[in-house]
Amino acid sequence: MKSKILDVVGISAAILCLIHCVAFPLLMIVPLGISHNPFIDLAFLVTGAIVVYRISKKTQIKWLKALFAVSLLLISVSVFADMIFEVHLPLMYFGAAGLIAGHLINFNHHKH
Protein backbone atom coordinates (compact mmCIF):
# COMPACT_ATOMS: atom_id res chain seq x y z
CA MET A 1 0.00 0.00 0.00
CA LYS A 2 2.79 2.41 0.86
CA SER A 3 4.37 1.86 -2.57
CA LYS A 4 1.12 2.94 -4.24
CA ILE A 5 1.19 6.19 -2.27
CA LEU A 6 4.81 6.74 -3.33
CA ASP A 7 3.80 6.16 -6.95
CA VAL A 8 0.99 8.71 -6.67
CA VAL A 9 3.40 11.23 -5.13
CA GLY A 10 5.96 10.46 -7.85
CA ILE A 11 3.42 10.80 -10.66
CA SER A 12 2.14 14.06 -9.20
CA ALA A 13 5.63 15.52 -8.78
CA ALA A 14 6.69 14.47 -12.28
CA ILE A 15 3.53 15.94 -13.83
CA LEU A 16 4.00 19.20 -11.91
CA CYS A 17 7.64 19.25 -13.03
CA LEU A 18 6.61 18.71 -16.65
CA ILE A 19 3.96 21.44 -16.45
CA HIS A 20 6.53 23.78 -14.87
CA CYS A 21 9.05 23.01 -17.61
CA VAL A 22 6.54 23.60 -20.39
CA ALA A 23 4.63 26.56 -18.95
CA PHE A 24 7.50 28.58 -17.55
CA PRO A 25 9.18 29.32 -20.92
CA LEU A 26 5.80 30.46 -22.21
CA LEU A 27 5.40 32.76 -19.21
CA MET A 28 8.84 34.24 -19.91
CA ILE A 29 7.48 35.59 -23.21
CA VAL A 30 4.89 37.67 -21.36
CA PRO A 31 6.55 40.60 -19.57
CA LEU A 32 5.49 39.79 -16.00
CA GLY A 33 8.82 40.55 -14.36
CA ILE A 34 9.45 36.94 -13.27
CA SER A 35 12.71 35.10 -13.72
CA HIS A 36 13.73 31.46 -13.67
CA ASN A 37 14.99 30.02 -10.41
CA PRO A 38 16.93 26.76 -10.95
CA PHE A 39 16.43 25.80 -7.31
CA ILE A 40 12.79 25.00 -8.12
CA ASP A 41 14.06 22.45 -10.64
CA LEU A 42 16.46 21.15 -7.99
CA ALA A 43 13.55 20.74 -5.56
CA PHE A 44 11.68 18.64 -8.14
CA LEU A 45 14.85 16.58 -8.67
CA VAL A 46 15.35 15.91 -4.96
CA THR A 47 11.69 15.00 -4.48
CA GLY A 48 11.81 12.63 -7.43
CA ALA A 49 15.09 11.08 -6.28
CA ILE A 50 13.73 10.36 -2.79
CA VAL A 51 10.56 8.76 -4.14
CA VAL A 52 12.45 6.74 -6.76
CA TYR A 53 14.97 5.54 -4.17
CA ARG A 54 12.21 4.30 -1.87
CA ILE A 55 10.32 2.60 -4.71
CA SER A 56 13.48 1.04 -6.16
CA LYS A 57 14.18 -0.66 -2.84
CA LYS A 58 10.81 -2.43 -3.03
CA THR A 59 10.53 -3.40 -6.70
CA GLN A 60 12.26 -6.41 -8.20
CA ILE A 61 11.77 -5.38 -11.85
CA LYS A 62 15.25 -4.51 -13.11
CA TRP A 63 14.20 -2.69 -16.28
CA LEU A 64 11.87 -0.49 -14.23
CA LYS A 65 14.76 0.41 -11.93
CA ALA A 66 16.80 1.21 -15.04
CA LEU A 67 13.99 3.42 -16.40
CA PHE A 68 13.88 5.32 -13.11
CA ALA A 69 17.68 5.68 -13.04
CA VAL A 70 17.94 6.92 -16.64
CA SER A 71 15.04 9.34 -16.12
CA LEU A 72 16.65 10.78 -12.99
CA LEU A 73 19.98 11.03 -14.80
CA LEU A 74 18.38 13.01 -17.64
CA ILE A 75 16.72 15.38 -15.19
CA SER A 76 19.95 15.73 -13.19
CA VAL A 77 22.01 16.61 -16.26
CA SER A 78 19.43 19.19 -17.29
CA VAL A 79 19.17 20.76 -13.81
CA PHE A 80 22.91 20.96 -13.23
CA ALA A 81 23.57 22.29 -16.75
CA ASP A 82 21.07 25.03 -15.97
CA MET A 83 22.62 25.80 -12.58
CA ILE A 84 26.25 25.77 -13.76
CA PHE A 85 26.15 26.93 -17.38
CA GLU A 86 22.70 28.58 -17.50
CA VAL A 87 21.80 26.36 -20.45
CA HIS A 88 18.31 24.88 -20.69
CA LEU A 89 18.43 21.34 -22.07
CA PRO A 90 15.33 19.52 -23.27
CA LEU A 91 16.44 16.39 -21.41
CA MET A 92 14.13 17.44 -18.58
CA TYR A 93 11.07 16.64 -20.69
CA PHE A 94 12.24 13.12 -21.48
CA GLY A 95 13.24 12.49 -17.88
CA ALA A 96 9.89 13.66 -16.51
CA ALA A 97 8.03 11.58 -19.10
CA GLY A 98 10.14 8.55 -18.12
CA LEU A 99 9.35 9.05 -14.44
CA ILE A 100 5.64 9.37 -15.16
CA ALA A 101 5.70 6.19 -17.27
CA GLY A 102 7.73 4.30 -14.67
CA HIS A 103 5.43 5.30 -11.82
CA LEU A 104 2.33 4.38 -13.82
CA ILE A 105 3.81 0.97 -14.68
CA ASN A 106 4.82 0.38 -11.06
CA PHE A 107 1.39 1.50 -9.82
CA ASN A 108 -0.39 -0.85 -12.23
CA HIS A 109 1.99 -3.68 -11.36
CA HIS A 110 0.96 -3.48 -7.70
CA LYS A 111 -2.76 -3.61 -8.45
CA HIS A 112 -2.61 -7.34 -9.20
Side-chain angles (χ1 to χ4, degrees), residues 14-97:
I15 289 174
L16 285 174
C17 176
L18 194 57
I19 290 170
H20 165 77
C21 292
V22 170
F24 193 78
L26 296 175
L27 289 175
M28 294 295 289
I29 296 171
V30 181
L32 296 174
I34 57 175
S35 62
H36 181 255
N37 186 349
F39 292 105
I40 294 172
D41 298 336
L42 187 62
F44 281 121
L45 174 63
V46 170
T47 303
I50 291 169
V51 171
V52 164
Y53 172 75
R54 294 192 57 192
I55 288 175
S56 294
K57 288 191 326 185
K58 296 179 188 329
T59 187
Q60 300 299 321
I61 306 171
K62 292 190 186 294
W63 65 267
L64 190 58
K65 289 182 182 183
L67 176 62
F68 283 136
V70 169
S71 298
L72 277 179
L73 179 67
L74 292 174
I75 293 171
S76 298
V77 168
S78 181
V79 168
F80 290 120
D82 184 22
M83 291 181 81
I84 296 169
F85 303 113
E86 296 182 10
V87 174
H88 300 283
L89 300 176
L91 299 176
M92 182 82 71
Y93 306 120
F94 298 111

Side-chain angles (χ1 to χ4, degrees), residues 1-14 47-59 68 99 102-104 106-107 110:
M1 181 68 166
K2 196 170 192 179
S3 183
K4 285 185 179 182
I5 293 170
L6 287 173
D7 282 323
V8 170
V9 170
I11 291 167
S12 301
T47 303
I50 291 169
V51 171
V52 164
Y53 172 75
R54 294 192 57 192
I55 288 175
S56 294
K57 288 191 326 185
K58 296 179 188 329
T59 187
F68 283 136
L99 284 181
H103 286 300
L104 286 172
N106 193 47
F107 184 81
H110 286 314

